[in-house]
Amino acid sequence: MRIFVLVKQVPDSTEIKIDPRTGNLLRQGVAAIMNPEDRHALQAAVELAAQVGESSVTVLTMGPPQAIDVLTEALACGADKAVLLTDELFAGADTWSTSGVLARAIQHLGGAHLVLAGRQAIDGDTAQIGPQVAEALGMEQATYVQEIEYLDGELEVERRMGEHLERLCLPLPALVTVVAELNVPGHPRLDLLLLACQDRAPIEILNAADLGFKAQEVGLAGSLTEVVETFSPKSARETEFLEGSPAEMAAALLGRLKAAKLLHKGGLE
Amino acid sequence: MSGKTLNLKAKVRPPPRIRSDAPRMVRQVFHRFTEEEVIPRAQAIDESRAFPRELFKMLGDMNAFGVRYPRNKGGAGGSTTIFCIICEELARGLVSLAAEYAMQCLMGTNFLFHYGNAEQHERYFLPAMKGEKVTAFCMTEPDNSSDLTGCKTSAKRDGEDWVINGVKTFVTNGPVADLFTVLVQTRPGSRGKGLNFCLVPREAPGLSVSRAFATLGTWSTEMSELALSDVVIPAQNMLLPPGTGMRALLSIVAEIRTMTAALGLGLARAAYEASVRYARERYQFGRLIKDYQLIQAHMANMATNIYASELMVRDCCARIDRGESPLNLSSMTKYFVCETACNAADRATRVLGGYSYSMDYPVQRYYRDSRFLLYGGGTHEILQSTIGRTLLR
């Protein structure tokens, strides 16, 4: 079975800060990581490949040259091959444009029986890439999947729909986006990681022309949406630290609550 | 110009040669391992005073113990630079784990790998790489620690076998080890010339291992005494050709000292990072304490010494990777970096004040664990002496 995994390099959200003046992300010094849910998709792909046998796992990402790092990590987690789609012409792509490039790359690389991806990336939170790639490839799709079973050439999946669960049978070829509940991703192996950093690592690099795109079909030019402004919401919260003994602090707190007219006869309103 | 009107032609270009930088990737992977797996468990592991088997096995599954050994022999094909990055990152989370890791990668398996036969590799080395077997290195004796040429543990030939008698102490991983690499004297009175290393399996009759010592720090690094009473080992367990023990030992001394420095660097970083976090959130007299100059002075001191330490460790690693054996430079590095670790741990206790005195916060652990670094890998008094003697030779 030919399995493709879509991964994305994203800023580590635990380290992100926003410039309060400009509203822009402060990316300097912020580590770039593999999108967390993509790690679960990769783990599922490696496990499925082992279960089915005679399978290959190819990891695909579109991004700047430094996105190579997520492919290196993916190879260290057991992927057989990695492909970086990088070109200045891809810059500024929205999810529509990105999905088109990813789908074309999968076709260029011989097509897939199964495409796995994280439900959504922590930087964009759109959850649009997986479904759009499935549409572009004309595949069946299941999103928000937390359980996958391979049975006789079909997948049985369980989708988490808020409070509800849904079980589906999915004929292949298909695309599945997964949530973190699916599995526990393993850590990369050091020997594979060091191999993946070498020149002979199985990483292919493709640009727009390799995939037969014209310049106006990709990147910002090929996008249907435009980002007009980014800003961080203003917080109206004010914090005051009370000092003193517990009794003094409790008395001060009571005073503040009374002053703010938050206390009624019987207690809090 | 609107992006939609761009009409540049996509050009066919040769694929660029892009590859990830190995040291940066290794740091990233083990930084995350430490954040996700080590730090959340560190306090509980420390308080349990027990060998962290679960994390040890996880490191085996990552082939992290194979860092110094070639891929075709079950290793990971790394370098001293890569090894020390892992040591540093693990020590940032828990020095005990990092010390156990380093023991398994270096002292516990080095002579087994280089001088052991195929059967010993199959039986001990490969399971050690997987984290399934634990190894230990026994050099220190009750009367001899830094002076290894004074080793009193004797090995006497008895037909095809050797008979070992003696006592070893401060054996890291002793209570849990499956295999011991033991420094022995084969020619009493010959000082360094008769030294050799032999493999003693835990089940060897005549070997007894004491319970773990109570120690000031590194609580989950179990250390014990080892008594060898007429322990019989086959000839193939005596690893080195006669007369080469001292040379073999010297071949890894620079690496041991650089690795110990890397542990110190990790601990210093942990202390510094804890101090920065606290200084940025603790208010006193209506101001964050980071705005007080004396707190800033602590930060400046820690960060400057950590920076210097990082450069020293990196330089020693690069030299070892180039095939040099920087004995004196690695002694200086171990001395400077581990003093930096002790200093940073001390300063962190001052920045955190009373909270560093509470057993609920990790800074007390950094302070206790930092003392381990003063003695492991050579005491600083002996190191200063050897550094000075070498310079004045």
Side-chain angles (χ1 to χ4, degrees):
Chain A
M1 179 157 61
R2 257 200 319 276
I3 307 175
F4 279 76
V5 184
L6 309 180
V7 300
K8 185 180 185 187
Q9 189 181 47
V10 294
D12 187 347
S13 62
T14 59
E15 295 182 17
I16 279 187
K17 293 188 180 66
I18 292 176
D19 184 329
R21 205 168 42 81
T22 63
N24 290 333
L25 287 181
L26 294 170
R27 287 174 186 268
Q28 197 159 15
V30 175
I33 57 169
M34 186 189 295
N35 179 51
E37 286 181 340
D38 299 351
R39 287 171 70 192
H40 297 271
L42 176 61
Q43 178 75 21
V46 171
E47 286 172 6
L48 268 174
Q51 182 199 338
V52 175
E54 290 186 22
S55 297
S56 66
V57 175
T58 303
V59 180
L60 195 58
T61 195
M62 184 177 115
Q66 56 268 31
I68 194 95
D69 286 352
V70 292
L71 299 181
T72 302
E73 184 182 335
L75 289 172
C77 290
D80 301 296
K81 186 184 168 188
V83 181
L84 172 65
L85 308 171
T86 189
D87 197 314
E88 287 167 11
L89 294 175
F90 292 152
D94 66 0
T95 64
W96 172 260
S97 173
T98 304
S99 304
V101 174
L102 291 169
R104 180 81 66 89
I106 291 170
Q107 286 167 332
H108 175 86
L109 294 161
H113 298 108
L114 174 63
V115 181
L116 289 163
R119 171 192 50 162
Q120 64 191 44
I122 55 172
D123 57 350
D125 274 346
T126 68
Q128 291 167 358
I129 294 286
Q132 286 174 174
V133 170
E135 285 301 311
L137 293 171
M139 281 181 172
E140 300 289 337
Q141 59 171 294
T143 52
Y144 295 80
V145 167
Q146 66 168 15
E147 203 178 301
I148 302 177
E149 270 186 83
Y150 176 81
L151 299 162
D152 302 326
E154 275 196 349
L155 293 183
E156 192 176 322
V157 300
E158 184 172 275
R159 303 178 68 211
R160 172 163 284 282
M161 310 293 293
E163 295 296 304
H164 307 284
L165 299 177
E166 185 178 64
R167 287 194 82 85
L168 296 173
C169 275
L170 212 57
L172 296 177
L175 182 145
V176 173
T177 72
V178 309
V179 292
E181 288 76 7
L182 177 67
N183 53 32
V184 180
H187 291 283
R189 279 182 63 90
L190 182 63
D191 50 341
L192 299 179
L193 186 72
L194 295 174
L195 268 179
C197 295
Q198 295 183 358
D199 280 348
R200 60 194 163 118
I203 302 176
E204 190 175 349
I205 295 165
L206 298 173
N207 62 22
D210 294 327
L211 299 175
F213 280 113
K214 293 183 182 131
Q216 62 269 31
E217 294 174 329
V218 293
L220 189 61
S223 294
L224 300 179
T225 59
E226 196 179 340
V227 177
V228 180
E229 189 188 357
T230 56
F231 58 92
S232 56
K234 298 263 185 304
S235 168
R237 194 174 62 180
E238 284 179 14
T239 306
E240 184 186 352
F241 286 86
L242 301 176
E243 305 232 356
S245 67
E248 288 165 350
M249 286 192 285
L253 177 62
L254 208 57
R256 299 292 194 286
L257 292 173
K258 277 180 185 163
K261 296 194 167 61
L262 290 169
L263 270 188
H264 216 37
K265 279 178 195 164
L268 287 171
E269 278 197 327
Chain B
M1 183 168 55
S2 153
K4 306 258 182 221
T5 62
L6 278 175
N7 197 19
L8 301 169
K9 258 195 150 178
K11 290 177 193 160
V12 176
R13 288 165 298 195
R17 233 174 167 55
I18 310 168
R19 287 296 180 265
S20 299
D21 177 60
R24 185 168 50 75
M25 287 305 295
V26 170
R27 185 175 294 281
Q28 194 176 307
V29 163
F30 283 88
H31 183 89
R32 191 174 71 211
F33 179 81
T34 298
E35 292 291 324
E36 290 181 357
E37 311 287 1
V38 182
I39 291 174
R41 295 171 167 92
Q43 183 164 350
I45 290 173
D46 192 53
E47 287 173 358
S48 75
R49 298 180 188 237
F51 183 78
R53 283 204 181 268
E54 188 188 7
L55 289 176
F56 201 74
K57 184 70 182 71
M58 285 168 112
L59 289 168
D61 291 341
M62 294 170 80
N63 200 357
F65 296 121
V67 59
R68 301 172 59 254
Y69 302 114
R71 251 188 308 273
N72 61 359
K73 303 281 187 186
S79 59
T80 304
T81 299
I82 299 292
F83 173 43
C84 285
I85 287 171
I86 300 174
C87 288
E88 180 194 328
E89 282 299 330
L90 295 178
R92 204 173 54 78
L94 184 61
V95 172
S96 297
L97 176 71
E100 287 145 359
Y101 167 76
M103 170 60 70
Q104 184 90 343
C105 295
L106 179 54
M107 297 84 84
T109 52
N110 185 72
F111 298 110
L112 165 66
F113 174 76
H114 287 291
Y115 301 97
N117 61 28
E119 190 261 330
Q120 288 161 339
H121 276 205
E122 189 69 31
R123 192 159 171 202
Y124 298 113
F125 180 75
L126 294 178
M129 293 298 99
K130 292 176 186 160
E132 292 164 358
K133 285 207 161 134
V134 181
T135 59
F137 192 51
C138 317
M139 294 209 298
T140 303
E141 298 180 351
D143 297 331
N144 299 290
S145 48
S146 295
D147 178 16
L148 295 170
T149 58
C151 168
K152 286 181 182 159
T153 300
S154 67
K156 284 188 185 148
R157 198 77 205 226
D158 182 16
E160 289 300 301
D161 299 325
W162 289 88
V163 181
I164 318 292
N165 279 287
V167 177
K168 298 288 180 184
T169 192
F170 289 111
V171 177
T172 299
N173 290 353
V176 291
D178 300 288
L179 181 73
F180 301 89
T181 300
V182 181
L183 179 72
V184 291
Q185 179 58 266
T186 59
R187 289 161 55 194
S190 71
R191 303 287 291 170
K193 287 178 187 159
L195 293 178
N196 207 322
F197 286 100
C198 64
L199 296 179
V200 179
R202 185 177 193 89
E203 62 275 13
L207 174 74
S208 49
V209 183
S210 76
R211 65 177 177 81
F213 299 156
T215 51
L216 172 66
T218 59
W219 283 349
S220 59
T221 298
E222 296 189 40
M223 287 181 201
S224 63
E225 197 165 84
L226 210 67
L228 301 113
S229 175
D230 288 332
V231 172
V232 178
I233 57 163
Q236 67 263 25
N237 281 27
M238 189 63 72
L239 292 172
L240 309 180
T244 61
M246 204 61 205
R247 201 186 325 146
L249 181 58
L250 282 175
S251 72
I252 59 165
V253 166
E255 207 176 341
I256 292 172
R257 291 191 179 145
T258 305
M259 169 276 291
T260 313
L263 302 185
L265 180 55
L267 182 117
R269 277 196 205 286
Y272 169 73
E273 286 164 10
S275 303
V276 168
R277 270 195 306 275
Y278 188 79
R280 282 180 175 157
E281 66 186 28
R282 174 70 168 170
Y283 278 88
Q284 283 297 285
F285 302 105
R287 294 160 73 189
L288 283 168
I289 64 167
K290 75 181 175 68
D291 294 327
Y292 290 101
Q293 286 187 344
L294 284 176
I295 298 296
Q296 292 162 1
H298 283 310
M299 300 302 173
N301 183 290
M302 283 192 264
T304 306
N305 283 304
I306 287 171
Y307 179 46
S309 299
E310 188 185 328
L311 298 180
M312 292 175 87
V313 170
R314 199 187 294 169
D315 179 59
C316 271
C317 288
R319 286 172 186 273
I320 294 168
D321 288 338
R322 287 199 298 267
E324 295 176 28
S325 183
L327 275 178
N328 220 32
L329 288 176
S330 63
S331 299
M332 293 180 197
T333 300
K334 195 267 169 181
Y335 167 48
F336 181 85
V337 179
C338 293
E339 290 289 346
T340 292
C342 290
N343 179 276
D346 179 41
R347 285 178 187 269
T349 66
R350 295 162 196 266
V351 173
L352 270 84
Y355 287 103
S356 71
Y357 204 59
S358 158
M359 297 307 274
D360 291 336
Y361 290 79
V363 169
Q364 48 78 24
R365 172 160 51 84
Y366 305 152
Y367 186 76
R368 289 184 291 104
D369 287 357
S370 70
R371 308 306 289 183
F372 166 76
L373 299 165
L374 288 181
Y375 327 119
T379 70
H380 288 193
E381 286 63 36
I382 296 283
L383 285 184
Q384 287 177 77
S385 169
T386 56
I387 292 165
R389 200 171 57 233
T390 305
L391 295 173
L392 297 170
R393 216 176 255 162

